[in-house]
Amino acid sequence: MAKQNLLGCTLSELEQLMIDLGEKKFRGGQLFKWLYRDNQYDFELMTDFSKDLRKTLDEKFEFKSLELIHMQESEDGTRKFLFNLHDNLPVETVLIPDFGSERKTVCISSQVGCAVNCSFCATGQMGFSRDLTPGEIIGQLIYLRENFGADAFSNVVMMGMGEPLANFDNVVKAIELMLAPTGMMLSRKKVTVSTSGHSPKIRKLADTGLNICLAISLHAAIQEKRVKIMPIAETFGLEKLMQAIRYYAEKSRTHVMFEYIIFDNFNDTMKDVHALAKLVRGLSCKINLLAYNPVDGLDFQRPSDDKMNWFGGQLAPRVPVVTVRKSRGRDIDAACGQLAAKQRLGKKHNV
Ligand code: SF4
């Protein structure tokens, strides 16, 4: 009989599992610590369990992360992992080291493909296949810890394939595993959910009390422009979106991060600077400017470095904090969804 994979199981599920095996409930807590805190996946080595219990666990269960099918490493140290899920669907994860600091950010996926269909995004072009389970979300992190050690990453951003808030329940369950004090023990300040702007779900996330960081993929501060590149803006316009963001910031007492990709000759004028400054007025926030990383087959172009610096320079005195972020992994398929899109189209990877 196939073993049951415990990847993604919560504390209460493991407690119930132990009760079902005729053990005391607290054994579930011990198992939870071994798996998520101590990164010990071999039941035989769980020394506070009896020999019989270890044998039973080994016979019936396993804790298996994801199957890696491809990895690309950039000259700048960024690594991109392509995983194969049990139903042969691809999903990707990007690990971005920050040289000169201990920070290592892992960008994880929450869905295979994405239904939001932003016109500049490789994932959007793939269409939507399905939501990831909590195990498949957390499995991206477990894979890294299993293969690169407990300090494989320091920060987690849900900014990979998919719209995390469209897979709300599974994403929240995965975040609970990341934050659990006897689990992965990540600080709420080191976990970020990035959304394209699903206003009702932003409010719902605020109401969970998880108080994690929130990033908004804004990319245009003028409604008509935003609708052109992000169809979700038709349903959740900028006004509603900003109300939800202010609600989140107040309730979770955290500042919000806005991601603003600059597309050459699209959202890079003085009018855009003014609109952006007006939009975030009075909000404790940070704006990250990022040059577009071109995707095969899409029309958008990368702006020059001068344009990036000009836009950042104009914006800086008008908003609380602005950074011009270097795009990472340009020599690999680093834009979200590029590697998985190639996998689905049967193209060769460039490594
Ligand atoms: S940018 Fe994000 S929300 Fe938009 S299509 Fe790509 S993955 Fe989906």
Side-chain angles (χ1 to χ4, degrees), residues 66-318:
L66 304 181
E67 180 201 354
L68 182 76
I69 48 172
H70 189 74
M71 190 192 67
Q72 288 179 319
E73 181 156 7
S74 164
E75 287 164 359
D76 65 17
T78 301
R79 279 189 246 190
K80 191 157 192 169
F81 303 86
L82 183 67
F83 297 106
N84 188 35
L85 303 178
H86 68 89
D87 46 3
N88 268 333
L89 290 171
V91 73
E92 59 187 44
T93 304
V94 185
L95 184 61
I96 309 160
D98 190 357
F99 294 109
S101 88
E102 296 290 299
R103 191 184 167 102
K104 285 182 220 156
T105 301
V106 59
C107 179
I108 61 173
S109 296
S110 54
Q111 298 180 310
V112 183
C114 183
V116 176
N117 199 18
C118 301
S119 58
F120 54 86
C121 168
T123 303
Q125 310 312 302
M126 284 171 68
F128 173 70
S129 295
R130 70 169 173 87
D131 287 333
L132 295 189
T133 63
E136 289 165 338
I137 296 169
I138 209 87
Q140 299 166 67
L141 303 178
I142 299 290
Y143 176 88
L144 294 178
R145 284 201 168 169
E146 205 177 0
N147 290 280
F148 301 99
D151 60 353
F153 56 88
S154 58
N155 296 57
V156 177
V157 292
M158 306 198 85
M159 207 183 266
M161 296 167 69
E163 163 53 61
L165 298 186
N167 183 15
F168 193 88
D169 292 345
N170 289 348
V171 162
V172 164
K173 203 168 164 188
I175 292 169
E176 284 167 351
L177 291 171
M178 293 175 211
L179 302 185
T182 57
M184 297 189 89
M185 293 196 303
L186 287 167
S187 148
R188 66 178 187 84
K189 290 184 181 161
K190 304 216 163 173
V191 177
T192 301
V193 162
S194 172
T195 175
S196 56
H198 197 303
S199 315
K201 296 278 176 64
I202 290 173
R203 288 174 179 272
K204 194 173 169 190
L205 186 66
D207 294 338
T208 62
L210 287 170
N211 295 341
I212 49 164
C213 303
L214 179 69
I216 307 294
S217 299
L218 189 67
H219 312 324
I222 298 171
Q223 173 67 9
E224 300 71 47
K225 282 197 188 186
R226 196 158 191 266
V227 166
K228 277 191 187 154
I229 53 171
M230 303 181 77
I232 194 171
E234 273 180 53
T235 316
F236 306 114
L238 277 173
E239 203 184 317
K240 270 191 197 161
L241 175 59
M242 291 310 296
Q243 285 166 0
I245 292 168
R246 286 176 198 278
Y247 178 78
Y248 189 91
E250 266 170 40
K251 192 132 196 204
S252 58
R253 294 208 198 103
T254 176
H255 70 261
V256 175
M257 181 132 78
F258 289 92
E259 301 287 329
Y260 191 98
I261 297 177
I262 298 190
F263 305 95
D264 198 33
N265 291 325
F266 177 73
N267 57 354
D268 54 358
T269 66
M270 201 60 215
K271 207 173 160 193
D272 294 292
V273 170
H274 285 303
L276 186 45
K278 190 173 167 205
L279 199 69
V280 303
R281 194 165 293 151
L283 187 67
S284 170
C285 67
K286 179 177 170 188
I287 298 174
N288 272 328
L289 302 177
L290 193 69
Y292 181 60
N293 226 358
V295 172
D296 288 352
L298 299 185
D299 282 344
F300 297 96
Q301 300 304 321
R302 186 181 176 81
S304 65
D305 288 351
D306 284 351
K307 176 70 73 67
M308 291 296 298
N309 291 334
W310 175 83
F311 196 92
Q314 293 299 325
L315 195 59
R318 296 173 165 88

Side-chain angles (χ1 to χ4, degrees), residues 7-49:
L7 182 70
C9 282
T10 60
L11 175 59
S12 56
E13 286 166 346
L14 294 181
E15 285 172 344
Q16 188 56 50
L17 178 146
M18 285 296 187
I19 292 168
D20 294 345
L21 290 176
E23 296 286 336
K24 291 267 190 321
K25 185 178 166 185
F26 77 91
R27 295 279 179 213
Q30 289 176 309
L31 183 56
F32 188 81
K33 279 187 203 163
W34 278 120
L35 296 175
Y36 292 107
R37 188 191 68 181
D38 302 333
N39 310 310
Q40 178 55 264
Y41 315 127
D42 183 346
F43 299 115
E44 281 301 323
L45 299 177
M46 297 181 179
T47 46
D48 48 5
F49 294 155

